[in-house]
Amino acid sequence: MRDHQLVTMARKDFDDAIRSKTVWALSGALALIAIFATFRVSQAQLPQGFPQRFLPVLVLGGLTQWISWIVCILALIAGYVSIVGERRTGSIKLLLGLPFERAEILVGKVLGRTAVIGVGIAAGFLTMIASILVLVGLTSPLDFLWRFVGMFLATVLLGGVYTTLSVSTSAIVSTRRRAVMAVVALFVVTQAIWTGITQFFYSVFAGGAVPLQPPSWYLFLTYLSPSAAYSRVVSLVVPIARYPGLGLDGVPRRAVQAQQSGAFYLSEYFALLVLLVWVVGSVLVAHSVFRNADLG
Amino acid sequence: MAAIETDALTRRYGEVVAVDSVDLTVEQGEVFGFLGPNGAGKSTLINMLLDYTPPTSGEARVFGHRTRGEAVAIRERVGVLPDAYKLYERLSGRRHLEFVVQARQADDDPDDILDRVGLDPEDAERNAGDYSKGMAQRLVLGMALIGEPDLLILDEPSTGLDPNGIRLMRDIIREEVDRGATVFFSSHILGQVEAVCDRVGIMNEGRLIEVATLDEIRDTIGVGTTLHVTVDQQPDLTLSDLEAMDDVSNVRADGPELTMNLSDSTAKAKVINRLEEGGATVVDFETAESSLEELFAELIDEDADEPEPEVSA
């Protein structure tokens, strides 16, 4: 892969995808949810001794789960037709007439679409900071700012993971219909029923239901999904799990247990690695198929 | 080194053989017409030359580079106007050209290209989704010219073009050949290939059934120019006397009108001389080029009449 070709491919794809109305509709949804969540936190009853300056960070924590859902949907929708759509319409013939390796097309598209998702996420985050300023107020702006930027970067990474998954899917399948079915399956498996899957594994390998204090290997399984790994990474900058008893959405018991377990594979940095493995793994699988696909 | 070379190149789709063991050589600097009815396998062969489609067996080389594994080296030297493409409807025409300039690391100015293919600079700012087929075709032809490619592969380039557009395309092909480029021009319409091509290859049902110059093809099939002559009186000649002349065949008479086929159109002067020597005055004459469409139809019929070789166990 050559840098110049990657950048050319990514820029073309960015210019194309950024003009998609779907992407802007979903970014709008992210912004609306940001306003709503900020409003809820501003109205919440907080436990005794909870530091007031920590309130804006609480908004970020409360949003983690919502963001991971929206970003997942946004990235899957933005990416699933990226390659199969060009194959079906024939515009891929214009690309393939140019000196691009197929790997450059694949990775260039991942980069371009991730940049588009990044813009959508930035729009959502700007709305979020505006509504925090209005509804909650900032007492220690600097402390909040680095957490905010950290969470933004983690969210772009999550967007990158799901964009990679959807663009990879798009490179593997040969019809739009299959692409839709595949990204719906990805959404269901990684977002909706991941916990159910891990519980099934537990019952097979350990027998019975998952106890209240599960073993570390089970916690590790639950953190293998991109959105769970994301929430783990976010806790680096938004350490909401250190305040058990807040009773907010998005702070599951497991987060606290992972925080307390001390196993290296449950650490935030390991979750970062998990996200990178998703990216690299899906690109490698997609390339092995796309490399020899009949694109005529 | 040939511009294009294929060895027993074959592509099967299940039971269907889209391209059947084609051996084809296109030399550098020539304009090669690639003919055949729709569905003959022309686009599949082009898809294999550019490595859009992997061959089932056999291989192809473009400027000595194998299509499997060296596709990027090939595409660096080839400009393509593909068949059945679609533009990026959310991007402007100009952005399409800029993309190709960047991808080829060329220094072409998009405005020069627009001017060459006759696209209005204002239209170039519009989204390509609004383009007519003719505008799209001009834009993609322009994209193919960027970076002075050594080989132009044009698949049905006249699709959607009006007569002006077709003339412009021919002029561009000639300019490119003068610059030293090789042109591989695929079409199902002979008339378009005739005007620009040195040699033609004819595909039918996946097989390459003929490769020759247009003159050679006319000779093979035995048709060429038809000559109609009107004389004032019966010359002192028989029809067989005329048929005995070189390049003259199939002489028919209908009163004072004679009709004959000439395999070389310059033979008409000899025929007229001979008639006048025989004592008749030629009142009127007219020549007509046999249509290549007829030629084409005849070749394909001939091909279909050949019995399939029988396979024995």
Side-chain angles (χ1 to χ4, degrees):
Chain A
M1 277 188 284
R2 296 153 298 169
D3 295 350
H4 178 272
Q5 297 307 87
L6 271 183
V7 171
T8 302
M9 187 63 232
R11 278 181 53 191
K12 196 249 25 158
D13 206 56
F14 177 86
D15 284 357
D16 191 20
I18 198 83
R19 289 170 165 80
S20 157
K21 292 187 181 71
T22 321
V23 169
W24 285 106
L26 284 163
S27 302
L30 180 60
L32 283 179
I33 287 171
I35 295 170
F36 175 71
T38 315
F39 178 74
R40 256 192 21 162
V41 171
S42 70
Q43 303 297 311
Q45 291 292 320
L46 295 171
Q48 283 292 317
F50 188 85
Q52 273 299 310
R53 61 169 185 83
F54 208 59
L55 208 51
V57 180
L58 196 58
V59 175
L60 299 186
L63 269 171
T64 312
Q65 200 60 36
W66 283 100
I67 288 174
S68 97
W69 281 77
I70 289 275
V71 166
C72 165
I73 294 170
L74 180 69
L76 290 177
I77 288 182
Y80 84 97
V81 286
S82 60
I83 291 178
V84 78
E86 289 215 22
R87 265 173 90 169
R88 289 292 117 194
T89 61
S91 55
I92 201 162
K93 290 186 176 179
L94 301 178
L95 278 189
L96 287 173
L98 299 170
F100 287 112
E101 291 164 16
R102 292 197 182 183
E104 288 164 352
I105 293 177
L106 179 64
V107 177
K109 285 214 170 240
V110 166
L111 294 176
R113 302 268 153 159
T114 301
V116 171
I117 301 301
V119 171
I121 292 171
F125 270 62
L126 286 177
T127 316
M128 191 153 75
I129 208 167
S131 44
I132 286 173
L133 279 174
V134 172
L135 296 170
V136 184
L138 277 181
T139 46
S140 57
L142 269 183
D143 174 71
F144 177 75
L145 195 66
W146 77 263
R147 293 176 196 280
F148 181 79
V149 170
M151 178 147 166
F152 171 72
L153 293 177
T155 307
V156 172
L157 179 61
L158 178 73
V161 170
Y162 274 107
T163 308
T164 312
L165 283 170
S166 61
V167 173
S168 297
T169 302
S170 199
I172 290 171
V173 297
S174 56
T175 67
R176 279 168 190 269
R177 229 176 94 84
R178 286 185 202 155
V180 172
M181 293 191 299
V183 293
V184 168
L186 271 175
F187 177 78
V188 170
V189 169
T190 64
Q191 286 279 357
I193 62 166
W194 188 264
T195 307
I197 293 171
T198 59
Q199 284 164 351
F200 173 76
F201 265 95
Y202 188 90
S203 70
V204 169
F205 291 105
V210 180
L212 271 177
Q213 292 290 329
S216 296
W217 67 263
Y218 174 76
L219 287 175
F220 176 65
L221 276 187
T222 66
Y223 279 117
L224 285 181
S225 86
S227 52
Y230 164 74
S231 69
R232 198 77 199 94
V233 172
V234 166
S235 63
L236 265 181
V237 286
V238 183
I240 226 77
R242 296 206 187 118
Y243 296 89
L246 275 177
L248 278 172
D249 302 341
V251 192
R253 199 177 56 248
R254 283 201 305 272
V256 181
Q257 289 167 347
Q259 196 72 45
Q260 289 161 352
S261 103
F264 77 97
Y265 53 82
L266 288 175
S267 73
E268 293 89 338
Y269 298 103
F270 201 89
L272 206 57
L273 191 68
V274 168
L275 289 177
L276 293 178
V277 168
W278 275 101
V279 170
V280 174
S282 60
V283 167
L284 288 180
V285 170
H287 183 245
S288 72
V289 175
F290 189 56
R291 187 171 56 178
N292 290 313
D294 181 353
L295 306 176
Chain B
M1 184 193 6
I4 296 174
E5 225 176 328
T6 72
D7 291 330
L9 191 64
T10 302
R11 175 69 211 198
R12 285 193 198 85
Y13 291 98
E15 292 291 294
V16 181
V17 186
V19 172
D20 189 356
S21 192
V22 168
D23 296 303
L24 171 69
T25 304
V26 175
E27 297 300 336
Q28 292 194 35
E30 73 172 320
V31 184
F32 189 87
F34 195 47
L35 292 165
N38 290 327
K42 303 188 301 293
S43 291
T44 305
L45 188 133
I46 291 174
N47 286 344
M48 288 192 280
L49 291 180
L50 295 163
D51 197 34
Y52 296 177
T53 299
T56 310
S57 62
E59 69 164 20
R61 288 179 299 278
V62 177
F63 297 117
H65 298 292
R66 285 174 298 105
T67 55
R68 297 300 288 161
E70 297 175 71
V72 172
I74 290 174
R75 291 177 197 151
E76 276 169 358
R77 299 184 62 181
V78 179
V80 189
L81 191 164
D83 181 32
Y85 62 84
K86 193 159 175 274
L87 295 170
Y88 296 103
E89 41 187 55
R90 295 189 291 247
L91 298 180
S92 72
R94 181 180 294 278
R95 183 67 179 89
H96 280 77
L97 294 173
E98 286 166 356
F99 172 54
V100 178
V101 168
Q102 288 158 8
R104 290 198 176 281
Q105 304 194 42
D107 47 17
D108 295 66
D109 180 347
D111 285 309
D112 294 343
I113 297 287
L114 290 172
D115 187 50
R116 253 188 108 183
V117 298
L119 268 184
D120 196 322
E122 268 176 44
D123 288 335
E125 307 306 325
R126 282 164 49 198
N127 281 352
D130 303 336
Y131 281 19
S132 69
K133 181 69 191 156
M135 288 164 71
Q137 200 73 356
R138 283 169 189 253
L139 179 64
V140 178
L141 177 62
M143 289 162 70
L145 298 176
I146 289 172
E148 300 207 328
D150 296 322
L151 169 65
L152 275 172
I153 294 183
L154 311 175
D155 198 354
E156 301 283 355
S158 45
T159 311
L161 288 180
D162 58 16
N164 278 331
I166 290 175
R167 206 171 311 126
L168 178 91
M169 184 194 68
R170 284 181 191 156
D171 291 344
I172 286 176
I173 288 176
R174 291 198 186 96
E175 286 161 23
E176 291 295 297
V177 172
D178 289 345
R179 172 175 72 72
T182 308
V183 178
F184 187 83
F185 183 132
S186 153
S187 177
H188 69 284
I189 303 166
L190 275 153
Q192 290 173 354
V193 170
E194 199 183 359
V196 287
C197 292
D198 307 321
R199 285 201 305 151
V200 296
I202 297 176
M203 286 283 284
N204 189 42
E205 291 175 353
R207 289 187 303 136
L208 185 65
I209 59 174
E210 184 80 49
V211 179
T213 64
L214 287 172
D215 285 342
E216 280 167 1
I217 285 188
R218 289 190 189 100
D219 289 349
T220 320
I221 309 293
V223 286
T225 309
T226 307
L227 174 67
H228 296 279
V229 190
T230 311
V231 289
D232 64 338
Q233 59 173 33
Q234 169 73 39
D236 188 13
L237 283 171
T238 64
L239 297 186
S240 336
D241 286 337
L242 288 171
E243 275 189 352
M245 294 174 68
D246 286 346
D247 302 323
V248 181
S249 61
N250 198 14
V251 184
R252 290 142 286 169
D254 180 13
E257 286 180 33
L258 294 164
T259 305
M260 65 203 75
N261 293 346
L262 306 179
S263 55
D264 180 353
S265 65
T266 58
K268 65 176 178 268
K270 285 184 282 175
V271 171
I272 292 168
N273 277 340
R274 187 72 189 271
L275 290 169
E276 303 223 317
E277 279 164 23
T281 304
V282 173
V283 182
D284 192 16
F285 75 95
E286 186 180 55
T287 56
E289 197 83 352
S290 310
S291 136
L292 273 173
E293 306 297 333
E294 292 165 33
L295 239 167
F296 192 19
E298 207 165 320
L299 262 179
I300 286 171
D301 281 350
E302 210 172 79
D303 177 53
D305 290 345
E306 280 170 26
E308 292 283 314
E310 297 212 6
V311 181
S312 54

